[in-house]
Amino acid sequence: MTRFPHRRTKPLFAFFLILFIGLATVPGALAQDRAPLQKSEIVRLLTSGTYSAPEVATIIRQNCLSFNPTTRDITDFRALGADQAILDEVDRCVREAPAQAGVSTAGIEVRRASWQAQAGSEATVFAYLAAGGTPVRGEQLVLTGAAAIEGGAGIDPTAITGEDGRAVFSFSAGTVAREYDLAVRSMDRPNLPATATRLQVSAGAPAIVEADEGVLDPAAGPIGLQLVVRDAWGNPVPGAPLVLLAGDDDGTILFEGAARADGSLTVRLPEAALMDVPRVTVRSGDIRLAALAVARTQRAGSIVVISGGSQVAEPGQVLLEPLVIEVRDSEGDPVPGAPVQLSASDGEVSPRTATTDAAGRVEAVIRLGGEGTETRVRIETGSIEREIRYSALRGGRSVAEVEADLDEADRLLAAGDVAAARALYDEVARYDPLNRRAALGRTRSALAVGQAAEAAGWAESILERDPEDAEAWLELANARLALDDEDAARFAYEQALLLDPGLEEAEVALAALEGEAVAEPVLALEAWGGTTVDDDRGFGLPYAEARVVPAPWIELRATWDDMLGLRTPFLVRGRDALQSLYGAGALRYGSDNRFVTMFEAGRRDQPSPDGEADDVYQTSWRLEQAIPLSGSATLRVGGWLGRWYDRDDKAVYGEALFALGPGLTLRPTLSWADNAGSNVTGDDGEPGTGRDPESEIRGGLGLQVESGGWGIEPAIAYGSVDSEDDAFDGGLLDLTTRAWVGLGGTFQLNGFVRYQSPPGTPSFVTVAVGLGLAIQ
């Protein structure tokens, strides 16, 4: 059974609040027996708003008081709204109390046969001593039976009678709700008969609630919840009002009711009302008693082994470490309160059922089965399941002996004795096939003798069991690099660094790989032949480029471009024959030469309507910066400026490259251009002379797939064109695909096709093929 303490409120506020809850019972109680009023009853009268000040004064005059008010009590009554007439009645009751007691001519009288108090509060009993009808002053009385009050002071209180023969006993009411039989005796007159009275201790204010379920699971169907309301000392609180809210204090009301005489309450909650609700708040009035956790149903996405997943032990023995698993949702966050079932074949697991803690975790103890067997532990939560296998040691080897063998194997491998090391790794693996250190040792020893494919296989076997093993990713990268698969090696190094950013070996190897791309001087030539369909231009040379890399940190380039736009797709709008010649220089810098600053200058010639040579040309400049991002991602941003005889054209653009895996790259693009494209073709498709001012914003997405010596990159772009001529307003669609294949490591065959549908001019298709030559 789960207990939930409430958050403490200020004592005075809580006191008045509790008194207010029982306000409805005051009028009836006063009307029945006209018993003297307790302090709590006067507070109710003053705060209820039901009675006017004269009515309260009348009630006090008719019933008088069961206590002797202190100066602090008078101050509190005045703060609660008591006027002078009410305070006069209180004072009269104090002064006339002996006369109202109705005492006999001799003996001890107690003003009431029964007194009431709440657990944890102070109780008050009034007594009166007279002899021959005359009050007796200065005599010591004792209230016997008070010492037996549970949780009280443990003593019988004493009091001295005053001028009016009255004595007041103030003492602790204890912490247990029950009745106590008390008696008032005279300590100075032992033969004087005692007078009996009774103390009724009731439960205090609701403070805690006990629930038969710590976590509510709506997946199990309608929830029948048993609650018990108790005060701060554990007494059931009868009649306590309860409200259950979905979520926090401002949530939807799920249930309203009151506790039975024993403080208990039965609640049924529909499972639909608890879906996606993290908790159920239980309140009594303004007091928050509990927050019952609600299980996160159907949210488990994975079961992750935190520790204890790779162990060995003697057959029939308990594993040295408990198995600790964590249930996570689809976003990778822990799922607390998830029900988990565990089972074992040829072995034992305890517990068989559990609920994840606040960190989403469950801990279990595993006992292995018999010798030569495999213990399989199955873990299920919702629709997610996972199986973990443990092998019992063979040949009587203990865990310490296994670790000693592996330590010796690591030492032999470091000393260069690969054969001896491999023999020990193999021996451990025979009686513990899932041993991680043995598998890593096999990977390293195989790589040491040039068996890279075998080394990659051992590393992959580790990653199948634990995809977050940074060392296994590092060894897999080393093996892939030995197999000359640089893309796969780069990806594995990056994974190792993501899991362990401090893995220096992976960082150095990755930096070396990135540097190798521009480490040697190179001369590269490209020449393309192609045509734009239906523009009467025939087959020509749409693109040619010469590139020289004399050193790893510099690149020089010269480019001829007849509207193919391999490097400047944002300049192609329409099928015009704008012939361009550019020269560019790029500076590479940074730890891996991934920062690149490029400057380009050139000119573009405008076609003449009659096909003759034209002296109208455009001078252009471009500045571009490549910036490395996290992992292997790169961002390129740039600006282009062209100067015609009549106006400046300009464009800004951005392009990002994101590596999604080995040989797979995503390339989003975005550009804005003002007059950068051409609309010198008329709407009839024939060459024109005018260039209407216009601007364009264009976004695109390309996907590059590359494997070995071939690759393909389809891309789609869409632009919105705004022109002063309404005929050229509208959307632009551009579909482009590039492909290439290596021929013997020196030559490369290229292919290109573009379909573009610009606004105001005919759609067109451009196709081209090219041949590249690279000299190392």
Side-chain angles (χ1 to χ4, degrees), residues 656-661 663-669 700-706 711-716 736-738 740:
L657 301 173
F658 297 102
L660 303 181
L664 188 62
T665 303
L666 188 67
R667 185 173 62 88
T669 61
L701 187 65
L703 183 65
Q704 178 178 305
V705 181
E706 190 169 15
I712 186 170
E713 182 179 1
I716 181 172
T736 303
T737 298
R738 292 185 61 186
W740 59 93

Side-chain angles (χ1 to χ4, degrees), residues 681-747:
T681 300
D683 55 11
D684 58 357
E686 295 301 323
T689 58
R691 294 174 58 253
D692 294 305
E694 59 192 26
S695 62
E696 173 196 281
I697 184 168
R698 185 185 305 188
L701 187 65
L703 183 65
Q704 178 178 305
V705 181
E706 190 169 15
S707 178
W710 67 270
I712 186 170
E713 182 179 1
I716 181 172
Y718 182 81
S720 177
V721 181
D722 182 19
S723 174
E724 289 187 0
D725 186 342
D726 293 342
F728 296 109
D729 278 343
L732 177 147
L733 178 64
D734 190 306
L735 303 175
T736 303
T737 298
R738 292 185 61 186
W740 59 93
V741 60
L743 303 175
T746 301
F747 293 95

